[in-house]
Amino acid sequence: MTKMERAGRYPVEFNLNGEPVDGFASPRMLLSDFLRHEIGATGTHVGCEHGVCGVCTVKVDGKAVRSCLMFAVQAEGAEIETIEGMAEADGSFSALQEAFHQNFALQCGYCTPGVLMSLSEFLGRNPDPTEDEVKVALSGNICRCTGYHEIVQAAMDAAKAIREGAA
Amino acid sequence: MKPPPFDYLRANSVDEAVAMLAEQGDDARIIAGGQSLVPMLNMRLMRPEVLVDIGKLEETRYIRKSHGSVEIGASTTQGEVMDWDELDATLPLVAKAFPHIGHFQTRNRGTVCGSITHADPSSELPLCLAVLGGEVTLQSSQGARTVSAGDFQQGLLTVDKEADEMTVMVSFPVAQSGEGYAFQEFAHRHGDFAVVAVAAKVTGDSIRLGVGGVADRPEVRQWGLLEGDALDDALNEFAWEMGGSDDIHASARHRRELVRHLGREAVADARQEAGI
């Protein structure tokens, strides 16, 4: 049994985009706040903070999840991926980012990190999706600028690029 | 939108978790996936003194077939069950309901037992459990007991579970050949809470229909193989009996119409699947 008192601050360590990071968190600190305020990884945005809007989506052990519905202390020892780790090692765009750029699939960009992290898991599981499947996959990410049309197109283009890249 | 302060206990076994519940009583809440609990904490709708985390317990992470049922442990996520390759064959109703439950990102952490124990009246999994006549197994430091789905959910977010008990497992009866199942839901957006959800099971001599989102818990009716006007009359009576009310999502009248409409569609789909 591990016990953490409400007023305490406890060390939390995990791998963020393959690199070990650490900080301190009280039990109630959300993973989204820990990433932004303790680690300084502000690419993960915060919106509704009750799991609806999807902007805080990150990958935990390969699965896209809401970082506002998880406490930092629950991430101890996990492999966490955020938007900061999405580009290639040389800094060039990943296929998914490139497709968003080409399709003008963002306007204000606030929802984009969450959309990309969701699509990253989705396209990994379903590399040849239909448009309808993409729309269902995007239903958990709210975008108030684009009207989604360009995002769906970018996801379809990214899937094609990833398939061709893998072939 | 930050949760209120709480002490956090991570249990390494069910025994440890129930010992903590015995010690803390009403002040403690079990957290598994947290996909219903954490929003309520963030919105300060709930202020537990202590959270007991069972999310990483290997002991309760299982999907197993036993005595004609599928048993799902307390830390098994909805996503894990949805990915189980025997789901379509054993629990076709649950397989049909899953895409309506939140989004894949919440199913990645949300658990089946957690959703059933949270007992939101519009939730899909409690509805499936009620229609299939499943069971919930509770454990405390004093021992374990099993409660039928019909007795477990008593009302809005209210279940037959004492403060020192945790849900360790739910079991769903396996579908038999010759049965047909259908699930229909109306929500304002994909993944939103259902305004009305209906689940139908058709066998050689019966129709069993459950409705979520209208009463304060899933309601189930069982009829013979009604057709045409007789089925419409039964659906209409069912819709009125549940006594739904107006809220910001829909009027009571709209809900009754959805029960009649979705009910008819679900029964037709289930009959077709059963070949009846």
Side-chain angles (χ1 to χ4, degrees), chain B residues 37-90:
Chain B
L37 182 61
V38 183
M40 293 188 81
L41 296 175
N42 287 1
M43 291 190 278
R44 307 286 174 114
L45 295 172
M46 202 184 269
R47 290 172 175 270
E49 297 292 315
V50 181
L51 289 189
V52 179
D53 193 348
I54 59 155
K56 285 189 177 160
L57 277 190
E58 284 305 314
E59 185 185 348
T60 48
R61 185 176 302 281
Y62 56 81
I63 307 166
R64 61 192 186 205
K65 289 195 285 187
S66 168
H67 304 102
S69 288
V70 173
E71 300 177 340
I72 298 169
S75 41
T76 311
T77 65
Q78 294 156 10
E80 285 163 349
V81 178
M82 210 173 161
D83 286 348
W84 183 45
D85 54 11
E86 294 182 65
L87 184 68
D88 287 349
T90 55

Side-chain angles (χ1 to χ4, degrees), chain A residues 11 29 44 52 65 67 108 111 115-116 126 130 136 142 148:
Chain A
M29 188 176 220
T44 300
V52 175
V65 304
S67 61
C108 85
C111 71
V115 172
L116 292 177
N126 186 354
T130 64
V136 170
I142 293 175
Y148 302 98

Side-chain angles (χ1 to χ4, degrees), chain B residues 1 19 25 30 45 73 80 85 105 121 140 155 160 167 171 216 223 247:
Chain B
M1 298 287 285
I30 293 279
L45 295 172
E80 285 163 349
D85 54 11
Q105 301 92 333
S140 73
D160 175 19
T167 302
S171 72
D216 63 356
W223 305 302
D247 64 22

